[in-house]
Coordinates of all heavy atoms in Angstrom, one line a residue:
L160 N -16.5 85.7 -6.8 CA -17.5 84.8 -7.4 C -18.2 84.0 -6.3 O -17.5 83.4 -5.5 CB -16.8 83.8 -8.3 CG -16.3 84.3 -9.6 CD1 -15.5 83.3 -10.4 CD2 -17.4 84.9 -10.4
G161 N -19.5 84.1 -6.2 CA -20.2 83.3 -5.3 C -20.5 81.9 -5.9 O -20.8 81.8 -7.1
R162 N -20.4 80.9 -5.1 CA -20.8 79.6 -5.5 C -22.0 79.1 -4.8 O -22.0 79.2 -3.5 CB -19.6 78.6 -5.3 CG -18.5 78.8 -6.3 CD -17.6 77.6 -6.2 NE -16.6 77.7 -7.3 CZ -15.5 77.2 -7.3 NH1 -15.0 76.6 -6.3 NH2 -14.7 77.4 -8.4
G163 N -22.9 78.4 -5.4 CA -24.0 77.8 -4.8 C -23.8 76.3 -4.8 O -23.1 75.7 -5.5
Y164 N -24.5 75.7 -3.8 CA -24.5 74.2 -3.8 C -25.8 73.8 -3.2 O -26.6 74.5 -2.6 CB -23.4 73.7 -2.9 CG -23.4 74.1 -1.5 CD1 -24.0 73.3 -0.5 CD2 -22.8 75.3 -1.0 CE1 -24.1 73.7 0.8 CE2 -22.8 75.6 0.3 CZ -23.4 74.8 1.2 OH -23.5 75.2 2.5
I165 N -26.1 72.5 -3.4 CA -27.3 71.9 -2.8 C -26.9 70.6 -2.1 O -25.9 70.0 -2.4 CB -28.3 71.5 -3.9 CG1 -29.6 71.1 -3.4 CG2 -27.8 70.5 -4.9 CD1 -30.7 70.9 -4.4
L166 N -27.5 70.4 -0.9 CA -27.3 69.2 -0.1 C -28.3 68.2 -0.4 O -29.5 68.5 -0.4 CB -27.2 69.5 1.4 CG -26.1 70.5 1.8 CD1 -26.3 70.8 3.3 CD2 -24.8 69.9 1.5
L167 N -27.9 66.9 -0.7 CA -28.9 65.9 -1.0 C -28.6 64.7 -0.1 O -27.5 64.3 0.1 CB -28.6 65.4 -2.5 CG -28.7 66.4 -3.6 CD1 -28.2 65.9 -4.9 CD2 -30.2 66.8 -3.7
S168 N -29.7 64.2 0.5 CA -29.6 63.1 1.5 C -29.9 61.8 0.8 O -30.9 61.6 0.1 CB -30.7 63.4 2.6 OG -30.7 62.3 3.5
Q169 N -29.0 60.9 1.0 CA -29.1 59.5 0.5 C -29.5 58.7 1.8 O -28.7 58.1 2.5 CB -27.8 59.0 -0.1 CG -27.9 57.6 -0.7 CD -26.6 57.2 -1.3 OE1 -25.6 57.9 -1.3 NE2 -26.6 56.0 -1.9
S170 N -30.8 58.7 2.1 CA -31.3 58.3 3.4 C -31.1 56.8 3.7 O -30.5 56.5 4.7 CB -32.8 58.6 3.5 OG -33.0 60.0 3.4
F171 N -31.6 55.9 3.0 CA -31.7 54.5 3.4 C -30.4 53.8 3.2 O -29.8 53.9 2.1 CB -32.8 53.8 2.7 CG -34.2 54.4 3.1 CD1 -34.8 55.2 2.2 CD2 -34.7 54.1 4.3 CE1 -36.1 55.8 2.6 CE2 -35.9 54.6 4.7 CZ -36.6 55.5 3.9
Q172 N -29.9 53.1 4.2 CA -28.8 52.2 4.2 C -27.4 52.9 4.2 O -26.5 52.3 4.6 CB -28.9 51.1 3.2 CG -30.1 50.2 3.4 CD -30.2 49.2 2.3 OE1 -29.6 49.3 1.3 NE2 -31.1 48.2 2.5
S173 N -27.3 54.1 3.7 CA -26.0 54.7 3.6 C -25.8 55.8 4.6 O -24.8 56.0 5.2 CB -25.7 55.2 2.2 OG -26.4 56.4 2.0
G174 N -26.9 56.6 4.9 CA -26.8 57.7 5.8 C -25.8 58.8 5.4 O -25.2 59.4 6.2
R175 N -25.7 59.0 4.1 CA -24.8 60.0 3.6 C -25.5 61.2 3.1 O -26.6 61.2 2.6 CB -23.9 59.4 2.4 CG -23.0 58.4 2.8 CD -22.2 57.9 1.6 NE -21.3 56.9 2.0 CZ -21.3 55.6 1.6 NH1 -22.2 55.3 0.6 NH2 -20.4 54.7 2.0
I176 N -24.9 62.4 3.3 CA -25.4 63.6 2.7 C -24.3 64.1 1.7 O -23.1 64.2 2.0 CB -25.6 64.7 3.7 CG1 -26.7 64.3 4.7 CG2 -25.9 66.1 3.1 CD1 -27.0 65.3 5.8
W177 N -24.7 64.3 0.5 CA -23.9 64.7 -0.6 C -24.0 66.2 -0.9 O -25.1 66.7 -0.8 CB -24.2 63.9 -1.9 CG -23.9 62.5 -1.7 CD1 -24.8 61.5 -1.4 CD2 -22.7 61.8 -1.9 NE1 -24.3 60.3 -1.3 CE2 -22.9 60.4 -1.6 CE3 -21.4 62.2 -2.2 CZ2 -21.9 59.5 -1.7 CZ3 -20.4 61.2 -2.3 CH2 -20.7 59.9 -2.1
R178 N -22.9 66.8 -1.3 CA -22.9 68.2 -1.7 C -22.7 68.3 -3.2 O -21.7 67.8 -3.7 CB -21.8 69.0 -0.9 CG -21.7 70.4 -1.3 CD -20.5 71.0 -0.5 NE -20.2 72.4 -1.0 CZ -19.9 73.4 -0.2 NH1 -19.8 73.2 1.1 NH2 -19.6 74.5 -0.8
W179 N -23.7 68.9 -3.9 CA -23.6 69.0 -5.3 C -23.3 70.5 -5.6 O -24.1 71.3 -5.2 CB -24.8 68.6 -6.0 CG -24.7 68.6 -7.5 CD1 -25.2 69.6 -8.3 CD2 -24.1 67.7 -8.4 NE1 -24.8 69.4 -9.6 CE2 -24.2 68.2 -9.7 CE3 -23.4 66.5 -8.1 CZ2 -23.6 67.5 -10.7 CZ3 -22.9 65.8 -9.2 CH2 -23.0 66.4 -10.5
E180 N -22.2 70.7 -6.2 CA -21.7 72.1 -6.4 C -21.3 72.3 -7.9 O -20.7 71.5 -8.5 CB -20.5 72.4 -5.5 CG -20.0 73.8 -5.5 CD -18.9 74.0 -4.5 OE1 -18.5 73.1 -3.8 OE2 -18.5 75.2 -4.4
V181 N -21.7 73.4 -8.4 CA -21.4 73.8 -9.8 C -20.3 74.9 -9.7 O -20.6 75.9 -9.0 CB -22.6 74.3 -10.6 CG1 -22.2 74.7 -12.0 CG2 -23.6 73.1 -10.7
G182 N -19.2 74.7 -10.3 CA -18.1 75.7 -10.2 C -18.3 76.9 -11.0 O -19.0 76.9 -12.0
G183 N -17.7 78.0 -10.6 CA -17.8 79.2 -11.4 C -16.6 79.4 -12.3 O -16.5 80.4 -13.0
G184 N -15.7 78.4 -12.2 CA -14.5 78.5 -13.0 C -14.4 77.5 -14.1 O -15.4 76.9 -14.5
P185 N -13.2 77.1 -14.5 CA -13.0 76.2 -15.6 C -13.3 74.7 -15.2 O -13.4 73.9 -16.0 CB -11.5 76.3 -16.0 CG -10.9 76.9 -14.8 CD -11.9 77.7 -14.1
I186 N -13.3 74.4 -13.9 CA -13.5 73.0 -13.4 C -14.8 72.9 -12.8 O -15.1 73.6 -11.8 CB -12.4 72.6 -12.4 CG1 -11.0 72.7 -13.1 CG2 -12.6 71.2 -11.9 CD1 -9.9 72.6 -12.2
A187 N -15.7 72.0 -13.3 CA -16.9 71.6 -12.6 C -16.6 70.8 -11.4 O -15.9 69.8 -11.4 CB -17.8 70.9 -13.6
I188 N -17.2 71.2 -10.2 CA -16.9 70.5 -9.0 C -17.7 69.2 -8.8 O -17.1 68.2 -8.5 CB -17.1 71.4 -7.8 CG1 -16.1 72.6 -8.0 CG2 -16.9 70.7 -6.5 CD1 -16.3 73.7 -7.0
G189 N -19.0 69.2 -9.1 CA -19.8 68.0 -9.0 C -20.1 67.6 -7.6 O -20.3 68.4 -6.7
K190 N -20.2 66.3 -7.4 CA -20.6 65.7 -6.1 C -19.5 65.3 -5.2 O -18.5 64.7 -5.6 CB -21.5 64.4 -6.5 CG -22.1 63.7 -5.3 CD -23.0 62.6 -5.7 CE -22.1 61.4 -5.9 NZ -23.0 60.1 -6.1
T191 N -19.6 65.8 -3.9 CA -18.6 65.4 -2.9 C -19.4 65.0 -1.7 O -20.5 65.4 -1.4 CB -17.7 66.6 -2.6 OG1 -18.4 67.7 -2.2 CG2 -16.8 67.0 -3.7
L192 N -18.7 64.2 -0.9 CA -19.4 63.7 0.4 C -19.3 64.8 1.4 O -18.3 65.3 1.7 CB -18.6 62.5 0.9 CG -19.2 61.8 2.1 CD1 -20.7 61.3 1.9 CD2 -18.4 60.7 2.6
F193 N -20.5 65.2 1.9 CA -20.6 66.3 2.9 C -20.6 65.7 4.3 O -20.0 66.3 5.2 CB -21.9 67.1 2.6 CG -22.1 68.2 3.6 CD1 -21.4 69.4 3.4 CD2 -23.0 68.1 4.6 CE1 -21.5 70.4 4.3 CE2 -23.2 69.2 5.5 CZ -22.5 70.3 5.3
M194 N -21.4 64.6 4.5 CA -21.5 64.0 5.8 C -21.7 62.5 5.8 O -22.5 62.1 5.0 CB -22.6 64.7 6.6 CG -22.7 64.1 8.0 SD -24.2 64.8 8.9 CE -23.8 66.4 9.1
E195 N -21.0 61.8 6.6 CA -21.2 60.3 6.7 C -22.1 60.1 8.0 O -22.0 60.9 8.9 CB -19.9 59.6 6.9 CG -19.9 58.2 6.8 CD -20.0 57.7 5.3 OE1 -19.2 58.1 4.5 OE2 -20.9 56.8 5.1
N196 N -22.8 59.0 8.1 CA -23.7 58.7 9.2 C -24.6 59.9 9.6 O -24.6 60.3 10.8 CB -22.8 58.3 10.4 CG -22.0 57.1 10.2 OD1 -22.4 56.2 9.4 ND2 -20.8 57.0 10.7
S197 N -25.3 60.4 8.7 CA -26.1 61.6 8.9 C -27.4 61.3 9.8 O -27.9 62.2 10.4 CB -26.5 62.2 7.6 OG -27.4 61.3 6.9
G198 N -27.8 60.1 9.8 CA -29.1 59.8 10.5 C -29.0 59.2 11.9 O -29.9 59.3 12.7
C199 N -27.9 58.6 12.2 CA -27.7 57.9 13.5 C -26.3 57.7 13.8 O -25.6 56.8 13.4 CB -28.5 56.6 13.6 SG -28.0 55.4 12.3
R200 N -25.7 58.6 14.5 CA -24.3 58.6 14.8 C -24.0 57.7 16.0 O -22.9 57.1 16.1 CB -23.8 60.0 15.1 CG -22.3 60.1 15.3 CD -21.9 61.5 15.4 NE -22.4 62.1 16.6 CZ -22.0 63.2 17.1 NH1 -21.0 63.9 16.5 NH2 -22.4 63.7 18.2
S201 N -24.9 57.6 17.0 CA -24.6 56.9 18.2 C -24.8 55.4 18.2 O -24.4 54.7 19.0 CB -25.5 57.5 19.4 OG -26.8 57.2 19.1
K202 N -25.5 54.9 17.2 CA -25.8 53.5 17.1 C -24.8 52.8 16.2 O -24.3 53.4 15.3 CB -27.2 53.3 16.5 CG -28.3 53.9 17.4 CD -29.7 53.7 16.8 CE -30.7 54.5 17.7 NZ -32.0 54.6 17.1
Q203 N -24.6 51.5 16.5 CA -23.6 50.7 15.7 C -24.0 50.5 14.3 O -23.2 50.7 13.4 CB -23.3 49.4 16.4 CG -22.6 49.5 17.8 CD -21.2 50.1 17.7 OE1 -20.6 49.9 16.7 NE2 -20.8 50.7 18.7
T204 N -25.2 50.1 14.1 CA -25.8 49.9 12.7 C -27.1 50.6 12.6 O -27.8 50.7 13.5 CB -26.0 48.4 12.5 OG1 -27.0 47.9 13.4 CG2 -24.7 47.6 12.6
C205 N -27.2 51.2 11.4 CA -28.4 52.0 11.2 C -28.8 51.9 9.7 O -28.0 52.0 8.8 CB -28.2 53.4 11.6 SG -29.6 54.5 11.4
D206 N -30.1 51.5 9.5 CA -30.6 51.5 8.1 C -31.3 52.7 7.7 O -31.8 52.8 6.6 CB -31.5 50.3 8.0 CG -30.8 49.0 8.1 OD1 -29.6 48.9 7.8 OD2 -31.4 48.0 8.5
I207 N -31.4 53.7 8.6 CA -32.1 54.9 8.3 C -31.1 56.1 8.4 O -30.4 56.3 9.3 CB -33.2 55.2 9.3 CG1 -34.2 54.0 9.3 CG2 -34.0 56.4 9.0 CD1 -35.2 54.0 10.4
G208 N -31.2 56.9 7.4 CA -30.3 58.1 7.3 C -31.0 59.3 7.8 O -31.9 59.3 8.6
S209 N -30.7 60.4 7.2 CA -31.3 61.7 7.5 C -32.5 62.0 6.7 O -32.7 61.4 5.6 CB -30.3 62.8 7.4 OG -29.9 62.9 6.0
G210 N -33.4 62.9 7.2 CA -34.5 63.3 6.4 C -34.4 64.6 5.8 O -33.5 64.9 5.0
A211 N -35.2 65.5 6.2 CA -35.1 66.9 5.7 C -33.9 67.6 6.1 O -33.3 67.4 7.1 CB -36.3 67.7 6.2
I212 N -33.4 68.5 5.2 CA -32.3 69.3 5.4 C -32.7 70.8 5.1 O -33.3 71.1 4.1 CB -31.1 69.0 4.5 CG1 -30.8 67.5 4.6 CG2 -29.9 69.9 4.7 CD1 -29.8 67.0 3.5
A213 N -32.3 71.7 6.0 CA -32.5 73.1 5.8 C -31.2 73.8 6.3 O -30.4 73.3 6.9 CB -33.7 73.6 6.7
I214 N -31.2 75.1 6.0 CA -30.0 75.9 6.3 C -30.4 77.0 7.3 O -31.4 77.8 7.0 CB -29.3 76.5 5.1 CG1 -28.9 75.4 4.1 CG2 -28.1 77.3 5.5 CD1 -27.8 74.5 4.6
D215 N -29.8 77.1 8.4 CA -30.1 78.2 9.4 C -29.1 79.4 9.2 O -27.9 79.2 9.4 CB -29.9 77.6 10.8 CG -30.1 78.6 11.9 OD1 -30.6 79.7 11.7 OD2 -29.7 78.3 13.1
F216 N -29.7 80.5 8.8 CA -28.9 81.7 8.6 C -29.2 82.7 9.8 O -28.8 83.9 9.7 CB -29.3 82.4 7.3 CG -28.8 81.7 6.1 CD1 -29.6 80.9 5.3 CD2 -27.4 81.8 5.8 CE1 -29.1 80.2 4.2 CE2 -26.9 81.1 4.7 CZ -27.8 80.3 3.9
H217 N -29.8 82.2 10.9 CA -30.2 83.1 12.0 C -29.0 83.7 12.7 O -29.1 84.8 13.3 CB -31.1 82.3 12.9 CG -31.7 83.2 14.0 ND1 -32.5 84.2 13.8 CD2 -31.4 83.2 15.4 CE1 -32.8 84.8 14.9 NE2 -32.2 84.2 15.9
D218 N -27.9 82.9 12.9 CA -26.7 83.4 13.6 C -26.1 84.6 12.9 O -25.6 84.5 11.8 CB -25.7 82.2 13.7 CG -24.5 82.6 14.5 OD1 -24.5 83.7 15.1 OD2 -23.6 81.8 14.6
T219 N -26.1 85.7 13.6 CA -25.6 87.0 12.9 C -24.1 87.0 12.7 O -23.6 87.6 11.8 CB -26.0 88.2 13.7 OG1 -25.6 88.1 15.1 CG2 -27.5 88.4 13.7
E220 N -23.4 86.2 13.6 CA -21.9 86.2 13.5 C -21.5 85.4 12.3 O -20.5 85.8 11.7 CB -21.4 85.5 14.8 CG -19.9 85.6 14.9 CD -19.4 85.1 16.2 OE1 -20.1 85.3 17.2 OE2 -18.3 84.5 16.2
H221 N -22.2 84.4 11.9 CA -21.8 83.5 10.8 C -22.9 83.5 9.7 O -23.2 82.5 9.1 CB -21.4 82.1 11.2 CG -20.3 82.1 12.2 ND1 -20.5 82.0 13.5 CD2 -19.0 82.2 12.0 CE1 -19.4 82.0 14.2 NE2 -18.4 82.1 13.3
S222 N -23.6 84.6 9.5 CA -24.8 84.6 8.6 C -24.5 84.3 7.2 O -25.3 83.8 6.5 CB -25.5 85.9 8.7 OG -24.7 87.0 8.3
Q223 N -23.2 84.5 6.7 CA -22.9 84.2 5.3 C -22.8 82.8 5.1 O -23.1 82.3 4.0 CB -21.6 84.9 4.9 CG -21.7 86.4 5.0 CD -22.7 87.0 3.9 OE1 -22.8 86.5 2.8 NE2 -23.4 87.9 4.3
E224 N -22.3 82.0 6.0 CA -22.1 80.5 5.8 C -23.4 79.8 6.0 O -23.7 78.9 5.2 CB -21.0 80.0 6.8 CG -19.7 80.5 6.5 CD -19.0 81.2 7.7 OE1 -19.6 81.1 8.8 OE2 -18.0 81.8 7.5
G225 N -24.1 80.1 7.0 CA -25.3 79.3 7.4 C -24.9 77.9 7.9 O -23.8 77.4 7.7
R226 N -25.8 77.3 8.7 CA -25.5 76.0 9.2 C -26.6 75.0 8.9 O -27.8 75.4 9.1 CB -25.3 76.1 10.8 CG -24.0 76.9 11.1 CD -23.8 77.1 12.5 NE -24.9 78.0 13.0 CZ -25.0 78.3 14.3 NH1 -24.2 77.9 15.2 NH2 -26.0 79.1 14.7
P227 N -26.3 73.8 8.5 CA -27.3 72.8 8.1 C -28.1 72.4 9.3 O -27.6 72.2 10.4 CB -26.6 71.7 7.5 CG -25.2 72.2 7.1 CD -25.0 73.3 8.1
V228 N -29.4 72.3 9.2 CA -30.3 71.7 10.2 C -30.8 70.4 9.6 O -31.4 70.4 8.5 CB -31.5 72.7 10.5 CG1 -32.5 72.1 11.4 CG2 -31.0 74.0 11.1
I229 N -30.6 69.3 10.3 CA -30.8 68.0 9.7 C -31.8 67.2 10.6 O -31.6 67.2 11.8 CB -29.5 67.3 9.6 CG1 -28.6 68.1 8.7 CG2 -29.7 65.8 9.0 CD1 -27.1 67.6 8.7
A230 N -32.7 66.5 10.0 CA -33.6 65.6 10.7 C -32.9 64.2 10.7 O -32.8 63.6 9.7 CB -35.0 65.5 10.1
E231 N -32.5 63.8 11.9 CA -31.8 62.5 12.1 C -32.9 61.5 12.4 O -33.3 61.4 13.6 CB -30.8 62.6 13.2 CG -29.6 63.4 12.8 CD -28.5 63.3 13.9 OE1 -28.8 63.3 15.1 OE2 -27.3 63.4 13.5
W232 N -33.3 60.7 11.4 CA -34.4 59.7 11.6 C -34.0 58.6 12.6 O -34.8 58.2 13.5 CB -34.8 59.1 10.3 CG -35.5 60.0 9.4 CD1 -36.0 61.2 9.7 CD2 -35.8 59.8 8.0 NE1 -36.6 61.8 8.6 CE2 -36.5 60.9 7.6 CE3 -35.6 58.7 7.2 CZ2 -37.0 61.0 6.3 CZ3 -36.1 58.8 5.9 CH2 -36.8 59.9 5.4
G233 N -32.7 58.2 12.6 CA -32.3 57.1 13.4 C -32.2 57.5 14.9 O -32.3 56.7 15.8
E234 N -32.0 58.8 15.1 CA -31.9 59.3 16.5 C -33.2 59.9 17.0 O -33.3 60.4 18.1 CB -30.8 60.4 16.6 CG -29.4 59.9 16.2 CD -28.8 59.0 17.2 OE1 -29.2 59.0 18.4 OE2 -27.9 58.2 16.9
N235 N -34.2 60.1 16.1 CA -35.4 60.7 16.4 C -35.2 62.1 17.0 O -35.8 62.5 18.0 CB -36.2 59.9 17.5 CG -36.8 58.6 16.9 OD1 -37.0 58.6 15.7 ND2 -36.9 57.6 17.7
R236 N -34.4 62.9 16.3 CA -34.1 64.3 16.7 C -33.8 65.2 15.5 O -33.6 64.7 14.4 CB -33.0 64.3 17.7 CG -31.7 63.9 17.1 CD -30.6 63.9 18.2 NE -29.3 63.7 17.6 CZ -28.1 63.8 18.2 NH1 -28.1 64.1 19.5 NH2 -27.0 63.6 17.6
I237 N -33.8 66.4 15.8 CA -33.4 67.4 14.8 C -32.2 68.2 15.3 O -32.2 68.6 16.5 CB -34.6 68.4 14.5 CG1 -35.8 67.6 13.9 CG2 -34.1 69.5 13.5 CD1 -37.0 68.5 13.7
I238 N -31.2 68.2 14.5 CA -29.9 68.8 15.0 C -29.5 70.0 14.0 O -29.9 70.1 12.9 CB -28.8 67.8 15.1 CG1 -28.5 67.1 13.7 CG2 -29.1 66.7 16.1 CD1 -27.3 67.6 13.0
R239 N -28.6 70.8 14.6 CA -27.9 71.8 13.8 C -26.5 71.5 13.7 O -25.9 71.2 14.8 CB -28.1 73.2 14.3 CG -27.5 74.3 13.5 CD -27.7 75.7 14.0 NE -27.2 75.8 15.4 CZ -27.8 76.4 16.4 NH1 -29.0 77.0 16.2 NH2 -27.3 76.5 17.6
L240 N -25.9 71.4 12.5 CA -24.5 71.1 12.4 C -23.7 72.4 12.6 O -23.8 73.3 11.8 CB -24.2 70.5 11.0 CG -22.8 70.0 10.8 CD1 -22.5 68.8 11.8 CD2 -22.7 69.5 9.4
E241 N -22.8 72.5 13.6 CA -22.1 73.7 13.9 C -20.9 73.7 12.9 O -20.5 72.8 12.3 CB -21.6 73.7 15.3 CG -22.7 73.5 16.3 CD -23.7 74.7 16.3 OE1 -23.4 75.8 15.7 OE2 -24.9 74.5 16.8
L242 N -20.2 74.9 12.9 CA -19.0 75.1 12.1 C -17.9 74.2 12.5 O -17.1 73.8 11.6 CB -18.6 76.6 12.1 CG -19.6 77.6 11.6 CD1 -19.1 79.0 11.8 CD2 -19.9 77.3 10.1
T243 N -17.9 73.8 13.7 CA -16.8 72.9 14.2 C -17.1 71.4 13.9 O -16.2 70.6 14.1 CB -16.7 73.0 15.7 OG1 -17.9 72.6 16.3 CG2 -16.3 74.4 16.2
G244 N -18.3 71.1 13.4 CA -18.7 69.7 13.1 C -19.5 69.1 14.2 O -20.1 68.0 14.1
A245 N -19.7 69.8 15.3 CA -20.5 69.4 16.5 C -22.0 69.4 16.1 O -22.4 70.2 15.2 CB -20.3 70.2 17.7
R246 N -22.8 68.5 16.6 CA -24.2 68.4 16.4 C -25.0 68.9 17.6 O -24.9 68.3 18.6 CB -24.6 67.0 16.1 CG -23.9 66.4 14.8 CD -24.3 65.0 14.6 NE -23.5 64.4 13.5 CZ -23.8 63.4 12.8 NH1 -25.0 62.8 13.0 NH2 -23.0 63.0 11.8
T247 N -25.6 70.0 17.4 CA -26.4 70.6 18.5 C -27.9 70.2 18.4 O -28.5 70.5 17.4 CB -26.4 72.2 18.5 OG1 -25.0 72.6 18.6 CG2 -27.2 72.8 19.6
P248 N -28.4 69.4 19.3 CA -29.8 69.0 19.3 C -30.7 70.2 19.4 O -30.6 71.0 20.3 CB -30.0 68.0 20.4 CG -28.6 67.7 20.9 CD -27.7 68.8 20.5
L249 N -31.7 70.3 18.5 CA -32.7 71.4 18.6 C -34.0 70.8 19.1 O -34.7 71.5 19.8 CB -32.9 72.0 17.2 CG -31.6 72.7 16.6 CD1 -31.9 73.2 15.2 CD2 -31.1 73.8 17.5
V250 N -34.4 69.6 18.6 CA -35.6 68.9 19.0 C -35.2 67.5 19.3 O -34.6 66.8 18.5 CB -36.7 69.0 17.9 CG1 -37.9 68.2 18.3 CG2 -37.0 70.4 17.5
L251 N -35.6 67.0 20.5 CA -35.4 65.6 20.9 C -36.7 64.8 20.9 O -37.8 65.4 21.1 CB -34.8 65.6 22.3 CG -33.4 66.3 22.5 CD1 -33.0 66.3 23.9 CD2 -32.4 65.6 21.6
N252 N -36.6 63.5 20.7 CA -37.7 62.6 20.7 C -38.9 63.1 19.7 O -40.0 63.3 20.1 CB -38.3 62.5 22.1 CG -37.3 61.8 23.0 OD1 -36.5 61.0 22.6 ND2 -37.3 62.3 24.2
V253 N -38.5 63.2 18.4 CA -39.5 63.6 17.4 C -40.4 62.4 17.3 O -40.0 61.3 17.1 CB -38.8 63.9 16.1 CG1 -39.8 64.1 15.0 CG2 -37.9 65.1 16.2
P254 N -41.8 62.6 17.4 CA -42.7 61.5 17.3 C -42.7 61.0 15.8 O -42.5 61.7 14.9 CB -44.0 62.1 17.6 CG -43.9 63.6 17.5 CD -42.4 63.9 17.7
S255 N -42.9 59.7 15.7 CA -42.9 59.0 14.4 C -44.3 59.0 13.8 O -45.3 59.2 14.4 CB -42.3 57.6 14.4 OG -42.9 56.9 15.4

């Protein structure tokens, strides 16, 4: 059974990304926290979370899982979230 999910960004003041998943079995999974501090990890306080979210399926080794690509507004950059949880910068100093 394949399960689908959608990632939703709660941008302002919380910086959280939520994963909304519908189960294929008897239990509906619903909303779970996918990422905390999604928009600015390096700063102490941040009122801006993440922006756009996309999934990168380009990596042939892990093409089934895909990796989220996230616009971090507080950091002015675009990152790819690796399977280990590391954030790989793809674009630095995104103009506002």
